[in-house]
Amino acid sequence: MKKSLTWANSLDWFLALLALLTGLAVLHTFVLGEHYIIPTILLVVSVIFGNLAWYGFAQVNWAKRVNFWCGFLLTSHGVFALFWSKKYREVLGDQFELVCTVITLTFLVLTWMYAKNNKLFVKQEYEPS
């Protein structure tokens, strides 16, 4: 299993970080918040992100493609937020355009380099086993 910090694993690392953060959110909402249903939902999200990261690191093709589409959707969300977000604009004030642009461009580069280095859109020959 290849776990180096490269462009080919950039979205895998991001999803692993999300799995870790949602895992911590499970503990926080269960222990400190004394909720019982919300942590279960967060645990499901954490397991899904963790599995996507794990299989992405293992170079499994379907996981690489799902991770790419997660990056694509995050990039699209950033573009839409840049033009139509009201709440984030209120929260960040004058810094909104700068923060949103940097985040959106970061996800764009990560997603593009991920697809390029994993050759996700290169036609591959099918070889029956």
Side-chain angles (χ1 to χ4, degrees):
M1 186 177 303
K2 185 175 159 185
K3 292 186 182 178
S4 61
L5 188 58
T6 63
W7 289 113
N9 292 331
S10 59
L11 290 178
D12 304 331
W13 280 108
F14 178 73
L15 287 170
L17 178 64
L18 279 179
L20 177 67
L21 290 176
T22 54
L24 291 173
V26 168
L27 292 175
H28 181 305
T29 55
F30 184 73
V31 175
L32 298 178
E34 296 181 4
H35 296 284
Y36 304 105
I37 295 179
I38 295 170
T40 307
I41 295 168
L42 289 174
L43 183 62
V44 169
V45 172
S46 181
V47 168
I48 289 171
F49 287 155
N51 278 309
L52 285 173
W54 179 267
Y55 286 109
F57 285 130
Q59 307 301 316
V60 176
N61 195 28
W62 66 264
K64 290 287 189 182
R65 291 184 185 278
V66 170
N67 293 351
F68 164 78
W69 286 108
C70 288
F72 178 82
L73 290 174
L74 284 169
T75 304
S76 299
H77 177 74
V79 170
F80 294 138
L82 187 58
F83 292 106
W84 292 290
S85 175
K86 291 181 183 178
K87 183 173 184 167
Y88 296 144
R89 198 174 294 275
E90 290 172 4
V91 170
L92 295 173
D94 293 337
Q95 298 299 314
F96 171 75
E97 285 85 6
L98 176 65
V99 171
C100 191
T101 301
V102 168
I103 290 171
T104 302
L105 289 176
T106 300
F107 277 116
L108 176 67
V109 169
L110 285 176
T111 304
W112 179 20
M113 296 302 287
Y114 187 81
K116 180 180 172 187
N117 287 305
N118 287 304
K119 299 176 182 158
L120 295 181
F121 296 103
V122 175
K123 183 160 176 74
Q124 298 174 355
E125 297 284 329
Y126 176 73
E127 295 181 19
S129 32

